Amino acid sequence: MFASIWSFLGWKEEEPVIQNYPPVTIVGVRIPADGTPAHLLPLTTTSVSSATDNFLLHVPDLRSYWISEQAWRLRDLHRFDLQKDGCVPLSQHRQQTDDLKSLIRMGQCLNREQILHLRQRYLLPQQRFFVQQHNTYHYCLGTYYVFYSFAVDDLPINKFVPRWIEEDIDAHSSLCYFGDVFVVKISPDEVGQDGRAAYEDVDPLFLDFLVDDAACSKTLIPLLHQREEQKMIGSLNIF
């Protein structure tokens, strides 16, 4: 967002150096803005380094769906977790512990870019849901990222994102999406050996959660968390 504001004001900034990773093709979900049913589709990743999703290092390339380069630049994301209980999964707990230890020793371990990526990851809007029928939807449990554009001048508003996804629990408000919205799933370890996000395919049963808001309200129960790790990272004066 800041890059587009600077460009509008005539200011120039150095182009970020993008480390190119081999593309990966995964199965994600598309929620079309034209009201046609949500569906699974293959998505191929591209390397990134100039948006709020930098910490993933590679993300689904959605430019062919959002048409304009401006809509691609004005993208954002948020996260939700589908859980079988109210506890934070062990893999996430371990990752949070390791990240917080690194921040405590940040002068020794982390460079400025790594610190930025941690801030992006943990200050990201995040929701957690308890899946009541978790035996039926076992392969749907896990962590997801919702990718959307806020290019209001380039894309039509998307009125078909399920309410349980668009609601911001912390702010008690709803997000506004423009153009097609996409959902992808992250593997339990979240990060691969090369340091970039490790994705996995979305299970077809996930589409059940996108059909009927009333039914989903009985299946997906929001879990409200006091996110101390976000408070800690957000309060660190590292810039």
Side-chain angles (χ1 to χ4, degrees):
M1 179 183 295
F2 291 114
S4 60
I5 294 175
W6 292 338
S7 176
F8 177 76
L9 294 175
W11 300 345
K12 293 184 178 180
E13 60 174 338
E14 294 183 4
E15 288 294 325
V17 177
I18 299 178
Q19 181 174 349
N20 289 317
Y21 293 94
V24 175
T25 299
I26 57 174
V27 175
V29 175
R30 177 189 181 195
I31 305 175
D34 62 7
T36 54
H39 54 272
L40 300 178
L41 79 170
L43 297 170
T44 301
T45 64
T46 184
S47 301
V48 292
S49 70
S50 59
T52 55
D53 52 22
N54 291 0
F55 68 97
L56 297 170
L57 300 184
H58 70 140
V59 301
D61 190 344
L62 307 174
R63 283 173 285 192
S64 62
Y65 299 97
W66 290 340
I67 303 175
S68 74
E69 193 67 28
Q70 173 83 346
W72 169 249
R73 288 196 300 269
L74 298 180
R75 68 184 185 276
D76 207 343
L77 76 166
H78 60 88
R79 168 181 172 135
F80 64 84
D81 291 78
L82 302 184
Q83 303 178 191
K84 65 178 180 180
D85 53 39
C87 301
V88 175
L90 180 59
S91 60
Q92 288 187 28
H93 173 72
R94 287 174 174 168
Q95 185 64 53
Q96 290 170 359
T97 300
D98 289 344
D99 289 341
L100 289 174
K101 285 180 179 178
S102 296
L103 278 175
I104 292 171
R105 303 189 303 265
M106 62 184 176
Q108 305 170 19
C109 302
L110 302 179
N111 60 37
R112 187 181 182 88
E113 182 181 36
Q114 290 170 324
I115 294 171
L116 173 61
H117 288 175
L118 282 179
R119 287 177 63 92
Q120 288 178 326
R121 159 64 184 86
Y122 286 107
L123 298 181
L124 198 69
Q126 179 173 336
Q127 302 159 289
R128 295 184 187 275
F129 297 91
F130 163 55
V131 182
Q132 293 207 78
Q133 302 174 31
H134 55 80
N135 289 327
T136 301
Y137 295 104
H138 173 74
Y139 293 107
C140 295
L141 300 178
T143 299
Y144 297 80
Y145 285 107
V146 180
F147 287 87
Y148 64 96
S149 176
F150 53 91
V152 59
D153 295 326
D154 298 292
L155 299 171
I157 190 169
N158 191 327
K159 300 179 180 180
F160 304 98
V161 179
R163 188 169 181 81
W164 67 269
I165 290 180
E166 71 175 12
E167 281 189 331
D168 185 340
I169 293 176
D170 290 338
H172 302 288
S173 61
S174 296
L175 293 170
C176 193
Y177 305 92
F178 295 89
D180 296 346
V181 172
F182 298 84
V183 181
V184 299
K185 189 178 184 184
I186 294 289
S187 71
D189 292 332
E190 297 197 27
V191 178
Q193 292 183 348
D194 56 2
R196 61 176 174 163
Y199 298 98
E200 63 180 43
D201 293 342
V202 176
D203 189 89
L205 283 178
F206 179 84
L207 295 177
D208 290 356
F209 300 138
L210 306 179
V211 177
D212 187 341
D213 270 338
C216 283
S217 66
K218 299 177 182 178
T219 304
L220 301 177
I221 309 300
L223 298 171
L224 301 181
H225 288 267
Q226 190 73 15
R227 286 174 275 167
E228 295 299 332
E229 71 276 5
Q230 287 200 0
K231 287 186 175 182
M232 182 179 296
I233 293 176
S235 64
L236 289 173
N237 183 16
I238 57 180
F239 293 106

